[in-house]
Amino acid sequence: ALRDAEAELSALQSTAAAFMSTAGNILSRDIYKRHINAAASWNQQRVMACIAMLLLCLAALLMASFATKAVVILAGLAIPCSFQLFPSLLGSLWLPWLSRRAATFGLIVGLAIVVLTEPLGQVLTGNTLPWGRWPWTIHSGLWGMFANLGICLAASAFTREDPDRGRREAFHQVLNDAIRPDAKSMRMKSAARVR
């Protein structure tokens, strides 16, 4: 039983470390470097990432200690909110015609729908919503995705003038070139099938 607990604790710590490292790097590069100090060196970015990770860790410890109900509510929102990033993933990997603005607007609406179809939505609106948790027993992540994808596809269809489209198509071309097999690997694959 003790080994099982140790294994669970080490799995939890390794997962939390990856999440903290990712969040610290996002805060350092996408917020600090882009909006606060554009001339930040690599060392300054690393220091800011460490500070951000420390602050996030302290905030998580304080929440776990003093706001256990909030932790349960946020844990219930984590997966459906993460699912709302799927159209952005589709756009970045397979569909270059999805615009950034459409994906961002769809993400915002999808997150709002997720919150409104969870118990937190009832609390925020003072129980005035005519539906409860998961209307028609459809998960809140799917409700958010219906709205998210609908808005994302419609907005991308109506925004033909997109200044970022050329950059996205060049990125997709690089991806296609990287995953396209060369002639040598195709010969090896066909030789393996013969045997």
Side-chain angles (χ1 to χ4, degrees):
L2 183 60
R3 287 189 182 184
D4 291 341
E6 289 173 353
E8 290 173 7
L9 184 61
S10 54
L12 179 68
Q13 286 177 339
S14 67
T15 304
F19 287 147
M20 290 290 186
S21 175
T22 303
N25 282 316
I26 288 171
L27 291 172
S28 172
R29 289 182 172 187
D30 294 338
I31 294 177
Y32 177 71
K33 182 170 174 48
R34 184 172 292 175
H35 300 292
I36 297 172
N37 184 7
S41 67
W42 173 250
N43 205 20
Q44 289 172 324
Q45 291 179 52
R46 188 175 52 83
V47 169
M48 286 308 298
C50 289
I51 291 171
M53 285 187 282
L54 177 67
L55 293 176
L56 286 171
C57 188
L58 289 175
L61 288 173
L62 287 173
M63 260 183 96
S65 299
F66 300 111
T68 53
K69 288 183 180 179
V71 170
V72 171
I73 290 171
L74 290 175
L77 287 173
I79 291 176
C81 286
S82 299
F83 183 49
Q84 301 311 306
L85 292 170
F86 186 66
S88 299
L89 179 68
L90 285 176
S92 64
L93 294 180
W94 294 290
L95 306 173
W97 50 269
L98 286 179
S99 69
R100 178 188 288 184
R101 288 182 181 174
T104 303
F105 189 58
L107 175 66
I108 291 168
V109 171
L111 291 173
I113 298 294
V114 165
V115 170
L116 292 175
T117 54
E118 284 283 337
L120 179 62
Q122 294 291 340
V123 171
L124 293 176
T125 60
N127 290 327
T128 58
L129 297 175
W131 57 82
R133 179 182 189 204
W134 301 358
W136 295 334
T137 65
I138 297 174
H139 194 275
S140 61
L142 287 177
W143 281 112
M145 187 54 65
F146 294 149
N148 188 348
L149 268 177
I151 287 173
C152 188
L153 294 174
S156 291
F158 290 117
T159 54
R160 297 288 179 202
E161 300 294 324
D162 186 10
D164 291 335
R165 184 164 183 153
R167 183 180 58 81
R168 284 196 312 272
E169 287 176 351
F171 175 73
H172 281 262
Q173 187 60 44
V174 168
L175 284 179
N176 287 336
D177 291 344
I179 62 172
R180 186 176 298 131
D182 59 347
K184 182 180 177 184
S185 63
M186 289 302 289
R187 282 194 305 271
M188 291 174 67
K189 189 174 182 181
S190 60
R193 283 187 187 155
V194 170
R195 292 182 185 186

